[in-house]
Amino acid sequence: MSKLEEFKEFQAKISRYSQAIALMHWDLETNAPNNAFEYRSKALGELMEALFRMSVSDQMGEFLDYFSKKENYDELSEIDQAMVRVTKKDFDKFKKLPPQLVRKLAETTSKAGHFWKKAREENNFSLFEPYLQEVVSLEKEQAEALGYEKNRYDALLDLFEPGVKTETVKGTINYLKEHLLPFMQELLEKGKEPRYDFFEGDFDVNKQKELSLEALKFMNFDFDSGRMDMSAHPFTTKIGPKDVRITTRYNNKDLRYSLFSTMHEGGHALYELHIPEEFSETPLDEGASMAVHESQSRFWENIIGRGPHFWVFFSKKLKDIFPSFEGISSDELYKGVNIVKKDFIRTEADEVTYNFHIMLRFEIEEALINDRIKVNELPTVWNDKMKEYLGIVPPNDAVGVLQDVHWSNGQFGYFPSYMLGNLYSAQLFSKLKKDLKDYPSQIEKGDSKEVLNWMVENVHKYGKMYEPEELLKKVTGETLNPKYFVEYIKEKFSAIYGL
């Protein structure tokens, strides 16, 4: 066996541990009995520590030393060179973390997730508070171990969006505030809100599931390599090659929620399912970053799913399953899924207000990680930020500070990816429209294959070969430019609201 084959087999072994961990996490969020969480947390901690030790082992270091030498690196294919670069970057980063900290984080977040669910169900932040306090302490410890130049939060942000700094996020937020806050106000004060009452009623959950499955079929989701289940918070998990799972959540009073949650998670799944098979069980077998991943989910959920062409096709599917929609035009349905409202729930927010939900979360967690606020102050700070950005105050913590699963999972630094993903999706869409001028007629016929193939050829097929800024420039010819998103929002919603 050659040195390269040995290296790849070692990478595959690491991947197989990851697959076992992913399956256990998925089970905890979907089907595991309530009393299993404590022992499952210990098992997860054990596996995470073993995985971590392999990833930063002397054996891994020896492989990287060998393949980092110019004469050996130059002999590798472009793909294998990328595998070495990605592995070395992660090795250098995670070598700084004590294995005990990795294990402790895995155990603590497993428990925290259980108590987050309980606190949310009972609308009682105090049930979650001590566990969140421990998670935050461990996240600070992790940031210190990883190291940073100016801002402790940078160390955590880099885990999800490589190369992005806190100052960059703040600058992007300022641009969006300047251009979108006045537009939102004008829209709500002077625009004419479309009719949407037909989406509210009493909708059978089984029929909602049928509708969600129709949306996934339209998206060309591979049901032989994936599945859809239900969870408290919709998510996507790649267990391993040919196994990507999504979850959704149903609201029997409004079927828009489950439909767009499904399309959102389906967008994530399509990305994972179309990474080349030759990348399987290597570090390249995942998305470029969380924001690039989010660009795919937001593209299918919003640009396609909340676009006018989709509803020309999908209105018939909707009426076949829910006959109450007979007599309502595709244009009315399109406008009805694009209502702008100041709402409490991030996952139900429209495209105009969504980024404001991300801004407040970013500002809160950045302050929390840098010791400017404390965990017990979170409900109050959250409500104050909601009033500042959207002029509304949540009636309880279940629809306020407890609505997201991310902090219980220790995913501090993740939220900015949602905002950046929105911006990436609009920039990619601008290029796609130039390349596929007839895409609207294809979507109206229910054919999304060419749109999907464009994404596969321009984004999916590279896996993690390139960092996000490099990938975006490769596809669109420039690095992140928020103007595309602002232009997209203003053009779309000015037309819908008659401005």
Side-chain angles (χ1 to χ4, degrees), residues 89 93-94 96 139-140 142-171 362 365-370 372 412-414 416:
K89 183 175 180 180
K93 181 189 299 179
F94 295 119
K96 301 171 184 175
E139 287 292 310
K140 291 176 187 174
Q142 180 176 227
E144 290 296 329
L146 291 170
Y148 53 91
E149 291 179 8
K150 295 180 180 178
N151 191 315
R152 183 189 281 166
Y153 186 76
D154 284 344
L156 304 179
L157 181 59
D158 189 68
L159 296 175
F160 300 99
E161 201 59 23
V164 173
K165 301 294 184 186
T166 303
E167 286 305 310
T168 302
V169 176
K170 288 180 177 178
F362 160 74
E365 66 178 23
E366 190 269 335
L368 192 62
I369 292 299
N370 285 298
R372 296 198 304 276
F412 287 85
Y414 190 142

Side-chain angles (χ1 to χ4, degrees), residues 56-328:
V56 297
S57 64
D58 290 343
Q59 186 175 359
M60 178 64 84
E62 288 169 10
F63 280 126
L64 290 172
D65 285 344
Y66 177 85
F67 288 110
S68 294
K69 290 177 181 175
K70 188 176 187 308
E71 63 270 23
N72 297 327
Y73 183 81
D74 289 346
E75 289 182 2
L76 298 175
S77 69
E78 183 184 7
I79 291 172
D80 290 336
Q81 286 179 349
M83 181 180 68
V84 170
R85 287 197 309 273
V86 170
T87 305
K88 181 163 176 50
K89 183 175 180 180
D90 286 345
F91 178 86
D92 292 342
K93 181 189 299 179
F94 295 119
K95 187 76 172 173
K96 301 171 184 175
L97 296 178
Q100 299 82 358
L101 174 60
V102 174
R103 180 172 185 161
K104 185 69 174 172
L105 260 170
E107 291 179 358
T108 303
T109 52
S110 296
K111 290 179 184 176
H114 174 80
F115 283 98
W116 164 76
K117 281 185 193 174
K118 190 174 177 64
R120 179 171 158 168
E121 287 165 4
E122 298 182 19
N123 185 29
N124 186 352
F125 180 76
S126 65
L127 293 176
F128 179 47
E129 184 183 328
Y131 299 93
L132 180 57
Q133 180 64 66
E134 191 171 357
V135 172
V136 170
S137 295
L138 291 169
E139 287 292 310
K140 291 176 187 174
E141 190 177 338
Q142 180 176 227
E144 290 296 329
L146 291 170
Y148 53 91
E149 291 179 8
K150 295 180 180 178
N151 191 315
R152 183 189 281 166
Y153 186 76
D154 284 344
L156 304 179
L157 181 59
D158 189 68
L159 296 175
F160 300 99
E161 201 59 23
V164 173
K165 301 294 184 186
T166 303
E167 286 305 310
T168 302
V169 176
K170 288 180 177 178
T172 304
I173 285 174
N174 289 336
Y175 182 90
L176 294 178
K177 280 183 186 177
E178 179 186 351
H179 291 89
L180 290 185
L181 269 176
F183 179 70
M184 178 183 70
Q185 292 301 105
E186 183 184 9
L187 205 66
L188 294 174
E189 291 170 8
K190 299 179 182 177
K192 184 181 179 183
E193 183 179 80
R195 180 186 168 202
Y196 63 92
D197 58 291
F198 39 76
F199 278 115
E200 297 177 341
D202 190 6
F203 300 99
D204 181 76
V205 166
N206 289 323
K207 288 187 174 182
Q208 287 193 58
K209 181 178 180 181
E210 189 180 343
L211 189 70
S212 288
L213 291 173
E214 286 294 335
L216 290 176
K217 288 175 189 174
F218 159 79
M219 294 168 66
N220 296 287
F221 180 81
D222 181 2
F223 289 94
D224 289 328
S225 301
R227 56 180 288 150
M228 181 179 76
D229 293 272
M230 190 168 68
S231 67
H233 191 106
F235 68 95
T236 300
T237 293
K238 182 171 188 172
I239 305 299
K242 306 292 185 184
D243 187 354
V244 179
R245 307 183 185 193
I246 71 172
T247 69
T248 191
R249 190 174 76 195
Y250 301 101
N251 177 350
N252 67 330
K253 300 298 181 188
D254 189 335
L255 61 78
R256 289 172 295 183
Y257 183 80
S258 60
L259 174 63
F260 291 111
S261 292
T262 300
M263 294 190 77
H264 180 97
E265 300 306 332
H268 283 302
L270 290 179
Y271 192 1
E272 292 291 351
L273 287 168
H274 288 93
I275 294 172
E277 196 165 353
E278 63 184 307
F279 292 1
S280 294
E281 298 190 319
T282 78
L284 303 182
D285 191 21
E286 58 183 84
S289 72
M290 291 314 303
V292 176
H293 234 301
E294 197 62 20
S295 76
Q296 301 305 290
S297 59
R298 300 296 281 182
F299 173 80
W300 287 100
E301 175 194 0
N302 290 331
I303 293 176
I304 298 298
R306 285 190 170 93
H309 313 297
F310 173 73
W311 284 98
V312 171
F313 156 73
F314 204 67
S315 58
K316 186 179 185 305
K317 298 288 184 185
L318 175 67
K319 292 168 186 177
D320 286 345
I321 297 170
F322 293 101
S324 62
F325 286 91
E326 283 295 344
I328 302 168

